[in-house]
């Protein structure tokens, strides 16, 4: 059997947008790929699949799971068939992301300063003030160039009509970009010659763009500002990403214990003495960044770093306090923000969202719970969710009790059938659901979105949960030049 | 072996660049500038180009030819090298001749094949370092290594400049040049990833902490040549010591900053001429080659 035969026998699920097939024919972006791979045999595909696994392992592209005190290296499952996005689709996504990030950034500046949007009643003040990620410590703090959302990973899904919807705006410490880069490296290894003839846009510029933006944020006018990446350490599941980005940008990878604050300036300890740090790309959450201001038990952050930031002596990327803008309860107000701040219609759609502290919404949601997904507003990674269509009556009842204890912490959305893509699983081409996380970089010169992103795949048949922590995998994402 | 290692790294880098970033990579031009004894018109795909550059028996500069010759040389000086080193070269020879290597390059992932070859190359350097006693043989081995490295750096730079042509995106070409000399990570740290021509040239010509810089290679050449002092006729030693010293001084006290292609080209030409002359004198004075 060959790839061509696999394609012929591939059956996309009904009533779902399949990225490759439409009514039995191949969509234009995939035609070149299908043509190029048609002669590849099943055995070759399987050996390519094995090769990808070995390369991920030998290159250490893994995350660590700890069990019985022993670290087990696991690879983030990778599917060898790329997901392809047409140039015009990408142009739409890119415009939508830029619009959204711009509006969310203004929202953050507003909500921590003049609060016009609250005074005008566009976003309820109670919702903002009850958000656990709204940091009162950030009120009236000026951030360099007025930028809060330096790095964003916007989760997009595609409904059955082919429209892209924003599912989440990840504005704190979005991860996954290293997999975007490594997945591309994997593709040219397993399919030699395929990328150049497929007119795929490169994603390699990401580290250079990020470094350019980080340097531009230096509070002092220096020709060579010192930039570091602050990691929680080797036990963090995204540690591979931290080391990869630090290496690609040529900046130091530091932990909290490597830094010290003196006279409201942050210094790195080196064998040649203390060196002042200008910009910190931190992958440590707000809560742990400074034990003197936030969680006093934190040993991941640096005492006094927040004060140095407030004084304008160091830039923190992303800015603290962004969690209020990507809170799931704030999410339904983003279209209103776009209209309010930019006087534009939202380019990307938003999934209808019900706040469960609203009694009408509460009733509506639990009356049709089998069509709903209920989420905690401050959780991510697929944790704390109830998928109504697969939950048992017991699970629903228990979850309902949980919601009633603190309804502000929950929202509900109708289940959207994520689009499907062909995946090579167990020697067959099988449809699996995917989302897309493109990354946007906001610097003093504007917002840039490298063409591509991380396509996450729900590898379990029928599953809509794509998170890596819940058995998800990933694919290379191609954006075509034309 | 130094030439083999440098060529392999360059080919690996260029192959990756051709796959993912530099669209329409001109393999044919590349073969034209680096291959002897082969009709360029016969090379019509990247696979064919890789085969010619890596495995062709007809190509006098292929990796295959290099390794076969290195093994032949080693066979003739087995009393000067260790058994481990001989075995390493023998393994390298069998790997490059293996049908699996050819199949991988012709049909599968060429990077896998090149990585396996590079692993043998790395083993070679390690074996030399760990097993060879620090005598005359070791000094000559290193002398040859660093002279060859100097020439390879110049050749690889020359090729990249030709490849770059009038490309508006110099930075991409400099990046791949640095990758092929294992110097990109150093550049990101030392020069803050600037990829500016002046910084790249500083790294490639003058940085003494970068092991693939011309200055580093020349200083090492000088260092290993000094070890031959007691073993040389004074007039021979003096003559070659002068040539090495002159190459270093001319590089150090050059007339122009190396920021424009014409000055880069001038520096490549001058340095290459001096190093070739030095290498020629070594051959005549120490090995009696005319």
């Amino acid at each position: 059997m060959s790839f061509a035969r696999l394609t012929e026998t591939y059956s996309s699920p009904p009533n779902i947008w399949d990225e490759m097939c439409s009514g039995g024919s191949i969509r234009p972006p995939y035609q070149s790929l299908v043509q190029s791979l048609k002669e590849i045999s099943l055995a070759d595909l399987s050996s390519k699949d094995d090769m990808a696994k070995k390369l991920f392992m030998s290159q250490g592209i893994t995350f660590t799971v700890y069990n019985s005190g022993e670290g087990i290296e696991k690879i983030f499952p990778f599917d060898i068939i790329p997901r392809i996005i047409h140039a015009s689709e990408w142009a739409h996504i890119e415009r939508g992301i830029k619009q959204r990030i711009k509006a969310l950034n203004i929202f953050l500046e507003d909500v921590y300063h003049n609060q016009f949007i609250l005074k005008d009643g566009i976003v309820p003040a109670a919702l903002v003030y009850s958000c656990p990620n709204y940091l009162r410590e950030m009120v009236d703090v000026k951030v360099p160039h007025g930028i809060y959302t330096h790095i964003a990973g916007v989760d997009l899904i595609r409904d059955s009509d082919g429209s892209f919807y924003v599912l989440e705006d990840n504005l704190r410490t979005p991860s996954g970009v290293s997999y975007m880069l490594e997945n591309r490296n994997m593709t040219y290894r397993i399919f030699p010659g395929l990328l150049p003839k497929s007119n795929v846009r490169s994603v390699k510029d990401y580290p250079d763009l990020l470094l350019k933006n980080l340097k531009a944020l230096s509070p002092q006018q220096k020709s060579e500002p010192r930039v570091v990446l602050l990691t929680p350490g080797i036990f963090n599941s995204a540690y591979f990403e931290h080391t990869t980005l630090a290496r690609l940008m040529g900046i130091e990878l530091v932990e909290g214990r490597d830094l010290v604050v003196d006279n409201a300036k942050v210094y790195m300890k080196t064998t040649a003495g203390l060196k002042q740090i200008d910009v910190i790309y931190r992958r440590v959450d707000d809560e742990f960044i400074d034990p003197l201001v936030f969680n006093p038990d934190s040993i991941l952050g640096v005492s006094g770093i927040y004060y140095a930031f407030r004084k304008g002596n160091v830039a923190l990327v992303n800015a603290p306090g962004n969690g209020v803008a990507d809170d799931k309860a704030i999410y339904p107000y983003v279209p209103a923000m776009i209209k309010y701040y930019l006087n534009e219609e939202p380019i990307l759609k938003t999934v209808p969202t019900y706040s469960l502290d609203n009694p009408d919404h509460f009733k509506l949601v639990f009356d049709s719970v089998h069509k709903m997904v209920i989420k905690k507003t401050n959780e991510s990674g697929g944790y704390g969710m109830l998928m109504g269509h697969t939950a048992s009556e017991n699970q629903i009842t228990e979850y309902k009790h949980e919601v009633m204890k603190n309804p502000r912490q929950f929202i509900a959305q109708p289940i959207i059938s994520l689009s499907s893509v062909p995946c090579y699983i167990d020697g067959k081409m099988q449809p699996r659901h995917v989302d897309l996380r493109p990354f946007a970089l906001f610097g003093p010169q504007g917002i840039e979105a490298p063409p591509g992103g991380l396509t996450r795949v729900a590898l379990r048949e029928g599953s809509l949960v794509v998170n890596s922590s819940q058995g998800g995998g990933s694919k290379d994402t191609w954006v075509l030049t034309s | 072996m130094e030439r083999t290692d440098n060529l392999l790294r360059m080919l690996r880098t260029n192959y990756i660049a051709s796959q993912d970033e530099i669209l329409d990579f001109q393999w044919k031009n590349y073969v034209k500038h680096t291959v002897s004894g082969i009709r360029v018109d016969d090379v019509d795909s990247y696979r064919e180009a890789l085969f010619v550059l890596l495995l062709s028996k007809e190509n006098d500069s292929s990796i295959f030819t290099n390794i076969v010759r290195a093994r032949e040389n080693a066979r003739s000086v087995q009393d000067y090298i260790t058994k481990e080193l001989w075995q390493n070269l023998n393994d390298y020879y069998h790997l490059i001749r293996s049908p699996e290597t050819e199949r991988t390059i012709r049909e599968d992932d060429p990077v896998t094949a090149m990585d396996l070859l590079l692993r043998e190359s790395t083993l070679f350097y390690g074996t030399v370092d760990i097993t060879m006693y620090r005598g005359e043989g070791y000094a000559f081995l290193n002398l040859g290594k660093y002279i060859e490295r100097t020439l390879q750096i110049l050749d690889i730079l020359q090729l990249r400049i030709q490849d770059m042509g009038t490309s508006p995106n110099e930075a991409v070409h400099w990046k791949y040049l640095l990758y092929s000399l294992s110097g990109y990570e150093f550049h990101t740290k030392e020069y803050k990833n600037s990829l500016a021509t002046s910084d790249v040239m500083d790294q490639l010509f003058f940085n003494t902490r970068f092991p693939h810089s011309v200055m580093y290679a020349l200083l090492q050449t000088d260092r290993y040549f000094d070890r031959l002092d007691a073993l040389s006729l004074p007039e021979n030693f003096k003559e070659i010591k002068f040539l090495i010293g002159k190459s270093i001084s001319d590089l150090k006290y050059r007339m122009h900053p190396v920021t424009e292609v014409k000055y880069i080209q001038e520096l490549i030409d001058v340095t290459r001429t001096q190093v070739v002359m030095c290498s020629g004198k070594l051959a005549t004075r120490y090995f009696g080659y005319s």
Side-chain angles (χ1 to χ4, degrees), chain A residues 51 189 192-193 208 215 224, chain B residues 15-16 19 109 176 192-193:
Chain A
M51 182 183 168
R189 297 292 299 269
D208 298 340
K215 282 179 177 175
E224 277 309 330
Chain B
Y15 170 74
I16 291 171
Q19 293 294 300
D109 169 36
Y176 283 106
K192 306 295 172 200
N193 201 18

Side-chain angles (χ1 to χ4, degrees), chain A residues 58 74 122 129 137 145 165 194 288 322 385 419 421 428:
Chain A
S58 72
K74 287 198 159 190
I122 309 295
Y129 292 134
E137 294 83 355
H145 300 273
Y165 285 78
L194 186 59
F288 301 102
N322 282 8
M385 277 192 337
S419 60
V421 291
K428 289 183 215 145

Side-chain angles (χ1 to χ4, degrees), chain A residues 164-181:
Chain A
F164 282 100
Y165 285 78
V166 175
L167 197 59
E168 278 181 24
D169 302 289
N170 297 293
L171 306 175
R172 286 173 268 181
T173 52
S175 61
V177 78
S178 60
Y179 294 105
M180 172 183 87
L181 300 170

